[in-house]
Amino acid sequence: MDIGIDLGTANTLLYVRGQGIVLNEPSVVAVKEGARHALAVGTEAKETIGRTPGSITAIRPLKDGVISDFEAAEEMIRHFVRKAVPGRRPRTRMVICVPSGVTQVERRAIVHASQRAGARAVHLVEEPMAAAIGAGLPVAEPRGSMIVDIGGGTSEVAVISLGGIVTSQSLRVGGDRLDAAITDYVRREHALLIGERTAEDVKVGIGSAWPVPGADDFEERTFTVRGREKVGGLPKTVELTVREVRGALDEPVEAIIAAVRTTLEECPPELSGDVMEHGIVLTGGGALLPGLDLRLASATGIPVFVADNPLDSVALGCGKCVEDFDGLERVMSAA
Ligand code: ADP
Ligand code: MG
């Protein structure tokens, strides 16, 4: 039994050898004060965010790309593995992809948690490597490939060649920061308090990074948010426009672009030449933000492509590793 796990800051995906992606749920654990076990994990737990009474907390164990809560992380891994593969799991090997910002101590904790979830052997693979493999980039070739994976808590930018990461940046700016930028903007400009789930709905509904050519109707769209007045505290609704939301997202979007620029600057000239020629590939949920590709292309002068199903790239990359353990041994580190 071989299982690949994309342990993302926002979503966890499980890939089972011979079956493909079998589970895709938010990386959230709901715990009740004083209780030994989680109240809910995954989709069910995400529903509770912002709606929990004082005694229940919704935890995102990997929120900023570091493990904030080891016990919750372990419980989450165990729960998902049991749910995806019920019954006996003989001789389980796992390939786990973690944000590259996690420390050695956290890596060991993940390995330990996976062993407690039944793994006999655990391999860790760097997130940008898994994303690049999943997006179909020729990682083993002597050719520079650039991958930009924009997740919930972190974004990873890397140049890969000959099966290794040549240069990379991991920044704590991702979808969550885009949501926070919307929350801040609405509070500042409309004196309205909204929750993080609402901000994410706005982003996915009418968020963009650049005007999208040929989508004039998109530019005219609005999104009505419900929240609480900053002063007075009464419920109130406000209509947001595409243009103002784009403005609100400007700062975190620029931070991601700056990381791409830095990575290009640090890259050996032959490899950046390859990237110039073959382009940059975007993966992760953030890749779905309309116009981000165009804006990045305009800022760098390099063509930018969004991977097919960017939310699945990392899991598919882990999947390729579990389908071909021996062939990909070089890009994995045994634990
Ligand atoms: P992680 O790997 O960190 O778990 P994901 O790659 O699963 O993260 O991406 C999750 C992020 O992508 C969330 O912040 C979510 O809001 C964002 N996202 C999902 N769909 C869209 C969309 N259509 N437009 C913009 N952002 C999106
Ligand atoms: Mg991810």
Side-chain angles (χ1 to χ4, degrees), residues 6-13 24 27 46 60 63 99 127 149-154 174-179 200 203-205 207 283-290 310-312 314:
D6 165 13
L7 205 54
T9 65
N11 298 296
T12 296
L13 282 75
N24 178 356
S27 309
K46 185 170 182 182
R60 286 178 53 193
K63 191 165 185 195
E127 173 154 353
D149 180 80
I150 305 167
T154 57
D176 297 338
R177 277 286 287 278
L178 299 180
D179 302 346
E200 185 179 16
K203 175 185 70 179
V204 173
T283 61
L288 292 168
L289 188 71
L311 282 160
D312 294 349
V314 169

Side-chain angles (χ1 to χ4, degrees), residues 74-334:
E74 181 174 330
E75 183 134 10
M76 189 173 81
I77 295 172
R78 203 168 39 220
H79 175 93
F80 285 151
V81 168
R82 285 189 182 154
K83 183 168 178 183
V85 192
R88 276 172 44 75
R89 291 174 293 276
R91 292 186 299 283
T92 301
R93 293 189 292 184
M94 292 188 195
V95 172
I96 303 186
C97 178
V98 292
S100 53
V102 305
T103 62
Q104 279 306 324
V105 174
E106 292 172 324
R107 278 166 193 269
R108 273 201 294 278
I110 290 171
V111 170
H112 188 67
S114 315
Q115 286 164 338
R116 299 202 14 169
R120 210 192 48 174
V122 183
H123 296 265
L124 298 181
V125 49
E126 299 274 352
E127 173 154 353
M129 180 60 77
I133 295 171
L137 290 173
V139 296
E141 281 174 30
R143 176 187 122 182
S145 297
M146 183 179 245
I147 190 89
V148 180
D149 180 80
I150 305 167
T154 57
S155 295
E156 316 245 349
V157 184
V159 174
I160 292 170
S161 177
L162 283 169
I165 292 172
V166 178
T167 171
S168 68
Q169 302 257 320
S170 174
L171 64 160
R172 288 184 191 180
V173 176
D176 297 338
R177 277 286 287 278
L178 299 180
D179 302 346
I182 292 172
T183 309
D184 292 348
Y185 170 84
V186 172
R187 186 175 52 224
R188 209 173 49 236
E189 298 298 322
H190 296 284
L192 184 73
L193 306 176
I194 59 169
E196 59 184 82
R197 295 288 305 278
T198 303
E200 185 179 16
D201 290 344
V202 173
K203 175 185 70 179
V204 173
I206 62 163
S208 63
W210 191 260
V212 181
D216 295 342
D217 50 331
F218 179 82
E219 286 296 306
E220 299 310 317
R221 272 205 244 163
T222 59
F223 197 101
T224 305
V225 284
R226 244 178 340 148
R228 203 157 50 78
E229 273 181 306
K230 196 162 84 181
V231 181
L234 291 175
K236 178 179 142 181
T237 60
V238 163
E239 198 167 88
L240 301 173
T241 67
V242 165
R243 197 161 307 210
E244 68 179 323
V245 172
R246 188 183 301 138
L249 297 177
D250 199 58
E251 206 182 301
V253 165
E254 277 302 322
I256 295 168
I257 291 173
V260 173
R261 280 219 189 87
T262 311
T263 311
L264 283 167
E265 281 162 17
E266 287 173 356
C267 180
E270 279 80 11
L271 298 183
S272 55
D274 294 339
V275 174
M276 284 289 283
E277 188 180 338
H278 298 285
I280 299 169
V281 173
L282 302 183
T283 61
L288 292 168
L289 188 71
L292 184 61
D293 49 349
L294 297 173
R295 180 148 169 189
L296 186 57
S298 146
T300 57
I302 299 175
V304 177
F305 306 97
V306 177
D308 297 337
N309 308 314
L311 282 160
D312 294 349
S313 304
V314 169
L316 292 174
C318 282
K320 280 214 179 112
C321 295
V322 301
E323 295 290 355
D324 180 18
F325 253 96
D326 306 327
L328 290 160
E329 198 82 18
R330 275 182 301 137
V331 300
M332 297 189 282
S333 58

